[in-house]
Amino acid sequence: MGGGARELAGYLAALAGWVAGLAAAVLPQWRQSSYAGDAIITAVGLHEGLWMSCAAQSTGQVQCRLHDSLLSLEVHIQTCRALMVISLLLGFFGIIVSVVGMKCTKVGEEDPVTKSRIAVAGGVLFVLSGLCTLAAVSLYATQVTYEFFRETTIPINTRYEFGSALFVGWGAASLSMLGGSLLCCSCPAKERRGQRYQQQSQPSTAQDYV
């Protein structure tokens, strides 16, 4: 795969990861009611996310409510909120920087070495964005797992388990880090050596013809 094609593939993968991360951040299905156990209650399904909680009736009606207070939220929810916001900001700046640094664009610098460095910077931003998303989703999943398996008198069918947003978040983190890694493969040092070799070979060729 050529350098331009690799950069384009990395950019598209990272962009898809950022969009998926945005979807995971706003979805309310970070955890959902567990249907494990003998007595399964399916009349109401509860879903909770970083910003709201929803109740789905068996008739198909869904009622959602935003979290009332920021300070009254649990620490892991506040931490996941902050990590997801940081992730989306890093990914947004990564989108802009990568467009400037990619070889297939005519934006900004014309020097291929400088553009490669900018592309690498965009890749680093995408990798950091993916790591923040991975940390947020894994932290939330760890808390859900702890609350599910801890010894308590709460029936198992009223506890919570992983929601679909967690899996979307894991996929988003993987795409962002994969795309960022491909963008980071744009090594400016090789291009600089190639330019120096061309500049040194051109005068000697001209002297041979004289």
Side-chain angles (χ1 to χ4, degrees), residues 94-149:
I95 292 173
I96 299 176
V97 173
S98 298
V99 168
V100 177
M102 291 172 59
K103 297 177 182 178
C104 58
T105 61
K106 301 296 182 181
V107 182
E109 294 287 341
E110 296 294 336
D111 183 18
V113 176
T114 304
K115 287 182 73 70
S116 296
R117 290 176 177 173
I118 297 175
V120 170
V124 171
L125 290 175
F126 278 126
V127 171
L128 293 176
S129 174
L131 289 175
C132 289
T133 301
L134 180 63
V137 176
S138 299
L139 175 62
Y140 198 96
T142 302
Q143 184 66 25
V144 172
T145 304
Y146 169 74
E147 293 180 355
F148 186 88
F149 288 105

